[in-house]
Amino acid sequence: MIVEGGHYALVLALALALIQSVVPLIGARINDPALMNVSRSTALAQFAFVLISFVALISLHVLSDFSVANVYENSHSLKPLIYKITGVWGNHEGSMLLWVFILALFGAMVALFGVNLPPSLRAHVLAVQGWIATAFYLFILLTSNPFLRIARPPIEGRDLNPVLQDPGLALHPPMLYLGYVGFSISFSFAIAALIEGRIDAAWARWVRPWTLMAWIFLTLGIAMGSYWAYYELGWGGWWFWDPVENASLMPWLAGTALLHSAVVMEKREALKIWTVLLAILTFSLSLLGTFLVRSGVLTSVHAFATDPTRGVFILIILCVFIGGSLTFYAWRAASLKQGGLFAPISREGALVLNNLLLTTACATVFVGTLYPLALEVLTGAKISVGAPFFNLTFAPLFVPLLVAVPFGPLLAWKRGDLPGAMQRLMMAGVVSLVTIAIVWAWQSGGAALAPFAIGLAVFVVLGAIVDIAERVKLFQASFNTSWHRAKGLPRSAWGTAFAHAGLGIALIGIVCESTWNIEHIATMRPNDTAQLGAYSVTFNGLRAQQGPNYREDIAAFTIRSDDRVVGTMTPSKRNFSTRGMATSEAALLTRGASQLYISLGAAEADGSITARIYYKPLVLLIWFGPILMAFGGMLSLSDRRLRVGAPKPARAKLGVPQPAE
């Protein structure tokens, strides 16, 4: 009954999506408020039915109903409850159901919180959401149905991929999808603006919160995925320039550019056409990521699909939405009015530079990711584009971007004072140069450019502090005055400062971990000791343990520093008999922002074991930086001026006082 109910709810959601994609457009065309309001009711009803379908699939996994093919292929009766639930999206069919669930969720949120949008704009936005939903409902029902039955149900399931049986899977895919799918709202606003032929500061004010929300989730999703790969896969790395990783990085770069472009459009009504294009491209890159991961084109722990029919179907969706939207943009963009003018040296100019560098970096990742696939399709030749290419093309683009980041907030709109901004950043520059000198004198090896990179990161962090200090007149006015100015400062200003500082902090972690990490790989017997910098690692022995659905060999290591025991680490090797697979469970010992990291290789009959031992200085800053960036985004999102509503000019006409900039 649960199976049929979940399947039928999905079919009803498809029917509602079809209604949502057609009726509101007719209503907007003939200016009928009743027909336009159909978009709200259908969006809410569609979400309700998708929720029923999603809960049904979760229930089937929790109950271990192996009469359902999806449950049989990806679950096991002895699997812990948390992995039964997270295993719902640890496979192709379930992950696509999660995709449409989040899509329906965002549509419902627009219906609920977009009540003050112009009726025609809201109708067009939700209609475009209906088009996207229709395509993916058809994809699921025709090629990836999670509710298919097995004629003769087996007694036991095949279990979930052991690599995915980790708490990180509970949050990483949903966070990532909230980012991917969240950009569909920006896309829908862009298409709606092209349909209506009108785009202004009000449009930017309405689209920014949705874009910011998606950007926050995508930032956290990427960071969480990076940390999961770091501790779960046992190789000790946090980024590999894998095509699946790149698939999430590309929309993040484009979405970051979109956020900054929308600021210019809201404040100065400039960059209108460019902002619409970025909204289209950002979601297009999200769709491309879905294609790369779900089509079977790539071989990856994330790539669940292997049926060519699925790949062709997703490719058709890509062609329709990406090709169709870009064609529509080329046809309608000329009818949009150009925005205001500004001097090259201005805050608008700094944001334009930001956009150019971010989109160029995105283009290099795009080429490096897709070129090997295109070459294989056209010529049959197989090549690998790895870290050297991306490091040599991506890093040089980010250096000028990081240099420019502290200047942007200190420049005035329309026409800025560059010498004045340089003067205010002088102390930050001096501290950065001192930092470079100290690191250069301290380092005992590694990349020659590492001190300069750390100095640049310090400059970015101090630049964010200078921005706030200038706004509150720190050391220029009395403490009480500065305190009151700080309390009255818009949350978006604080959010910008935190986000920029997070970027600098992440860079410090990346440089330190990449340059000065220590690695020791050895076969160790009980009581053997390895030395890593100031730490000694002693292997105490192995013990076996039976888990819920695996057998585990656990190694014990004692960690000493200056002959003082500072901790014990217990990495393990797990063997999943049902899947016939083994995983390495790394052990981490945190010392400040640095970590000791141990993962195990094969165990020998004499009790010895191969161990990979790392010391990773300041590695946690790599993930603390994105968390700080996401926190800054949340602060900005909480700013009442960024809530979906009428823009400042409309409020001014009503006589509502405006908050200070």
Side-chain angles (χ1 to χ4, degrees), residues 508-589:
I508 293 173
I510 290 170
V511 174
C512 290
E513 193 280 334
S514 302
T515 306
W516 295 295
N517 77 88
I518 304 172
E519 179 182 13
H520 181 86
I521 303 175
T523 299
M524 302 181 70
R525 294 180 173 82
N527 300 318
D528 283 356
T529 298
Q531 192 70 32
L532 276 85
Y535 296 95
S536 63
V537 181
T538 303
F539 176 45
N540 300 325
L542 278 172
R543 63 183 175 87
Q545 178 176 293
Q546 182 64 45
N549 57 334
Y550 57 83
R551 183 167 180 80
E552 186 174 28
D553 291 323
I554 303 174
F557 293 84
T558 300
I559 314 301
R560 292 180 175 85
S561 178
D562 297 328
D563 295 325
R564 180 174 56 89
V565 175
V566 295
T568 300
M569 300 178 68
T570 54
S572 66
K573 196 83 172 177
R574 293 179 179 176
N575 289 284
F576 294 77
S577 57
T578 305
R579 281 272 180 170
M581 294 176 62
T583 63
S584 294
E585 301 297 317
L588 303 172
L589 178 64

Side-chain angles (χ1 to χ4, degrees), residues 179-193:
Y180 277 163
V181 183
F183 285 124
S184 68
I185 302 296
S186 306
F187 174 84
S188 297
F189 268 95
I191 300 301

Side-chain angles (χ1 to χ4, degrees), residues 194-195 324-336:
L194 292 174
I195 293 173
S325 61
L326 291 177
T327 302
F328 188 49
Y329 170 82
W331 176 48
R332 296 285 290 171
S335 65
L336 299 176

Side-chain angles (χ1 to χ4, degrees), residues 167-221:
L169 190 68
L171 295 175
H172 166 53
M175 285 284 185
L176 209 58
Y177 277 19
L178 283 165
Y180 277 163
V181 183
F183 285 124
S184 68
I185 302 296
S186 306
F187 174 84
S188 297
F189 268 95
I191 300 301
L194 292 174
I195 293 173
E196 295 190 349
R198 181 175 60 87
I199 184 170
D200 51 21
W203 181 91
R205 176 61 64 88
W206 285 316
V207 80
R208 261 185 80 195
W210 301 104
T211 304
L212 186 56
M213 188 186 305
W215 181 87
I216 291 168
F217 283 122
L218 188 57
T219 301
L220 291 174

Side-chain angles (χ1 to χ4, degrees), residues 62-113:
V62 170
L63 296 172
S64 296
D65 186 345
F66 299 122
S67 69
V68 179
N70 182 265
V71 181
Y72 164 70
E73 292 287 342
N74 301 284
S75 193
H76 191 281
S77 60
L78 297 179
K79 191 168 64 172
L81 178 62
I82 183 174
Y83 301 142
K84 288 183 178 181
I85 295 173
T86 60
V88 170
W89 50 82
N91 60 85
H92 172 75
E93 294 83 1
S95 68
M96 294 313 301
L97 185 58
L98 175 65
W99 209 98
V100 293
F101 170 74
I102 294 174
L103 183 69
L105 171 63
F106 274 101
M109 289 173 66
V110 172
L112 284 173
F113 302 113

